[in-house]
Amino acid sequence: MRRLVGVVAWFSAILFFAPVAWMVLTSLHSEPDAATNPPSLGAGLTLQGYEEFFGASTGQSPWPPLINSFSASIGSTIIVLLLAIPAAYALSIKKVEKWTDVMFFFLSTKMLPVVAGLLPIYLVAQFTGMLDNISFLVILYTSMNLPIAVWLMRSFLAEVPPEILEAASIDGAGLITTLRRVVAPIAMPGIAATALICFIFSWNELLFARVLTGVVAGTAPVFLTGFVTSQGLFLAKVCAAATVVSLPVLIAGFAAQDKLVQGLSLGAVK
Amino acid sequence: MAGLGVARAVGFVAPALLLVGVFLVFPALWTLYIGVTDYQLTGPAAAAPSAVGLDNFAAVLDDALFTNSLWLTALFVLGSAVVGQNALGFALAWLLRRVRPWLRRTTEGLVLLAWILPGPVVAYLWFAVLSRDGGTLGLLLDDPTTAWLVQYPMVSLVVFNVWRGTAFSMLLYTSALAAVPPSQLETARLVGANGWQAVRDVVFPHIRGHVLTNTLLISLWTANDFTPFLLTAGGPNHESEVLPVLIYRQALEGGRLGYASAMSSLLLVGNLVVALVYLRLLRRRA
């Protein structure tokens, strides 16, 4: 029985992984090898696809959209943390009825269909002259990730035992000292995980980036969508592009795997 | 408590609330407003939209495309989220309890991949798998002439979304199952309950809250998901045009902003109703 379960585990792992494995393998093949069907597993590996993606022969650099994505994701994640940590702290130590309403308000905004906000937000961007401007995406992603960040962070902060907070208060520790010396060490892994989740969500956002940006502020997913359309015949090149665009979230995802599990499930239930 | 007065606590929460209010709640309300105007992307109504009352809503409800889309969205949510991701996620979590920790972590990590990869990347990969003449699935089944995304667009979308989203359910159920006391499962086994009976009578009562929360979240995410646009763009002939895709196309391709906003409003209300039903169910437990 145990063996059977192991086989099922392997099988599902492979099934989920297969498309990604194909992508990485194809990205490392030369174009003629990539085009063969079935995929030539044993073909020699080369970085040609990546060189082509980074503009070896066309001179077109994918760096501007990649840098835009980094700015939007990292910028918004930092602001999210600055706003969400105090909010989550206040919400986690106040056990008052009204505060659950505030929590529910945060949560409910996560249920709004993104497409419903598209038009008004476009109009706001147009009116303020912020179309095709990466700062606007930073603010937008910050607001979109705030609810989930507050929600996750509160569940991590709720793990700080109230007795310790009281003890700190009796010993005469002020708010800043309490936050820095007592709360932060316990909550730090959770905060890091929340940051990584926000980074992943911002990096992957496509709908708003597609509508609100153009030549200047286009992000990596928007760039990739265009790249697939224009270069679709060059499998190795497109797979290299897809791999590069995926790399940041893969790294963030693996760094956060355990805490991601804990955070999402705690946040979902408590 | 811990030196945090009411004023300070409000000060801590206010900036986050303000930003969320301005960028999430206000646009949603604005959408409701645009829904009662004849706002267009181009033409005279673009410069000076006028209020048309509930005309848009009446027209939307009468629109065969909307009814079609509503039905497809329900199918998409039921098939891929409520049944597909839920069942597969639970099954994986249940099975993975028994395998060695490193294998479990690896499987979880690989399933998670599908969940965290950017939409355009997964859409492209599935396009390659499902395309005609050279798609990997066609090769595996020795049937290269089937264009899956064209001939079976909804089935493809459902399978795709199960692949994409199962990770969340799996992770959530994994941690839920960890909270079920092993002694109770042992007792169930001793009195001769089979696997299914144990799940129904011992496990389910413990994880009911998780099941409800999970079902709510994945249903709403699926209903609001825009990724189908990247795979089929709603086609062929509206056969896979779920609501977010229909709204996007009506607004940006058709230029009928007021009309599309009325559809958005209906989607919004639909989401709220589902969320309220969920809250009631959850309260009943408490």
Side-chain angles (χ1 to χ4, degrees):
Chain A
M1 182 63 193
R2 195 187 162 103
R3 173 159 300 180
L4 180 74
V5 171
V7 170
V8 172
W10 274 113
F11 182 72
S12 27
I14 290 167
L15 210 61
F16 274 87
F17 185 53
V20 184
W22 176 81
M23 169 179 86
V24 177
L25 188 67
T26 308
S27 76
L28 291 167
H29 279 161
S30 64
E31 290 297 349
D33 285 334
T36 60
N37 228 336
S40 27
L41 291 174
L45 302 181
T46 165
L47 288 175
Q48 233 174 347
Y50 290 88
E51 284 163 15
E52 283 299 312
F53 169 61
F54 282 101
S57 56
T58 57
Q60 272 188 329
S61 168
W63 279 113
L66 285 171
I67 291 170
N68 280 337
S69 269
F70 274 113
S71 316
S73 312
I74 295 174
S76 69
T77 302
I78 291 172
I79 307 178
V80 162
L81 290 185
L82 290 179
L83 293 173
I85 292 174
Y89 181 70
L91 291 171
S92 69
I93 64 170
K94 288 275 166 185
K95 304 267 186 281
V96 185
E97 196 61 20
K98 270 184 207 138
W99 293 100
T100 42
D101 292 345
V102 178
M103 276 316 291
F104 183 70
F105 171 75
F106 274 121
L107 178 59
S108 65
T109 56
K110 201 61 211 163
M111 297 170 188
L112 298 175
V114 192
V115 73
L118 195 59
L119 179 58
I121 286 176
Y122 180 85
L123 294 174
V124 169
Q126 197 181 34
F127 184 72
T128 52
M130 297 281 266
L131 277 178
D132 204 10
N133 186 332
I134 203 72
S135 318
F136 192 75
L137 281 190
V138 171
I139 304 171
L140 189 62
Y141 291 170
T142 303
S143 350
M144 284 167 70
N145 286 330
L146 254 176
I148 200 128
V150 171
W151 198 36
L152 287 175
M153 211 101 79
R154 196 198 67 112
S155 65
F156 288 121
L157 290 175
E159 283 181 41
V160 179
E163 295 82 18
I164 299 189
L165 293 179
E166 259 164 55
S169 150
I170 289 167
D171 288 344
L175 176 63
I176 302 293
T177 317
T178 314
L179 277 178
R180 212 163 49 103
R181 306 283 292 273
V182 182
V183 178
I186 303 179
M188 208 36 103
I191 293 174
T194 310
L196 289 169
I197 292 170
C198 290
F199 175 84
I200 294 174
F201 284 172
S202 311
W203 184 275
N204 287 349
E205 203 286 324
L206 175 72
L207 188 57
F208 280 106
R210 195 185 160 99
V211 174
L212 296 175
T213 67
V215 199
V216 184
T219 60
V222 178
F223 176 77
L224 183 66
T225 321
F227 198 77
V228 169
T229 318
S230 65
Q231 311 284 325
L233 290 175
F234 305 97
L235 280 182
K237 198 164 38 161
V238 172
C239 282
T243 309
V244 171
V245 172
S246 307
L247 211 54
V249 291
L250 290 186
I251 294 169
F254 281 111
Q257 188 182 336
D258 287 333
K259 279 286 160 184
L260 195 74
V261 179
Q262 194 198 348
L264 288 174
S265 42
L266 273 179
V269 179
K270 276 188 185 165
Chain B
M1 191 174 159
L4 200 66
V6 171
R8 224 177 201 169
V10 170
F12 273 21
V13 182
L17 272 179
L18 188 72
L19 206 58
V20 167
V22 169
F23 280 91
L24 298 179
V25 180
F26 172 65
L29 295 176
W30 197 351
T31 296
L32 290 177
Y33 168 72
I34 298 174
V36 297
T37 67
D38 63 351
Y39 197 23
Q40 304 265 338
L41 198 58
T42 50
S50 53
V52 292
L54 295 177
D55 287 7
N56 282 331
F57 288 88
V60 165
L61 292 174
D62 208 32
D63 187 341
L65 280 183
F66 180 78
T67 330
N68 168 55
S69 184
L70 201 61
W71 162 242
L72 292 176
T73 309
L75 206 69
F76 188 46
V77 171
L78 272 178
S80 69
V82 177
V83 177
Q85 294 180 9
N86 239 341
L88 188 59
F90 181 83
L92 281 174
W94 181 252
L95 287 176
L96 288 179
R97 287 176 313 138
R98 302 172 173 219
V99 302
R100 291 175 201 86
W102 67 269
L103 176 57
R104 172 175 165 169
R105 239 188 91 84
T106 312
T107 310
E108 280 179 357
L110 293 179
V111 176
L112 198 62
L113 266 186
W115 195 68
I116 60 173
L117 284 177
V121 172
V122 288
Y124 172 68
L125 292 178
W126 275 72
F127 215 83
V129 169
L130 295 177
S131 64
R132 198 187 146 173
D133 294 335
T136 313
L137 185 64
L139 277 164
L140 287 176
L141 301 178
D142 201 18
D143 174 24
T145 54
T146 309
W148 297 94
L149 286 169
V150 179
Q151 281 166 271
Y152 308 100
M154 270 325 278
V155 177
S156 304
L157 284 186
V158 167
V159 175
F160 163 78
N161 198 44
V162 171
W163 175 82
R164 176 109 215 253
T166 294
F168 184 81
S169 306
M170 180 189 74
L171 296 181
L172 204 137
Y173 286 136
T174 301
S175 63
L177 287 176
V180 177
S183 61
Q184 293 190 12
L185 279 174
E186 185 61 19
T187 316
R189 205 178 58 82
L190 286 177
V191 299
N194 62 31
W196 164 243
Q197 285 166 334
V199 168
R200 193 190 54 195
D201 298 331
V202 180
V203 176
F204 186 72
H206 276 286
I207 63 166
R208 188 166 169 268
H210 291 80
V211 175
L212 279 173
T213 308
N214 184 49
T215 309
L216 171 81
L217 289 175
I218 59 178
S219 301
L220 294 182
W221 284 337
T222 303
N224 299 329
D225 187 18
F226 184 66
T227 323
F229 181 83
L230 298 174
L231 273 171
T232 65
N237 193 24
H238 308 290
E239 273 176 52
S240 63
E241 201 169 48
V242 289
L243 275 174
V245 176
L246 175 70
I247 294 169
Y248 182 86
R249 293 186 67 184
Q250 288 287 337
L252 282 126
E253 290 169 20
R256 308 165 75 189
L257 302 180
Y259 193 65
S261 293
M263 288 182 179
S264 291
S265 310
L266 290 172
L267 180 59
L268 202 74
V269 172
N271 276 337
L272 286 178
V273 169
V274 172
L276 284 176
V277 169
Y278 152 81
L279 267 186
R280 287 204 66 143
L281 284 174
L282 202 63
R283 287 245 169 89
R284 190 182 296 168
R285 179 185 67 134

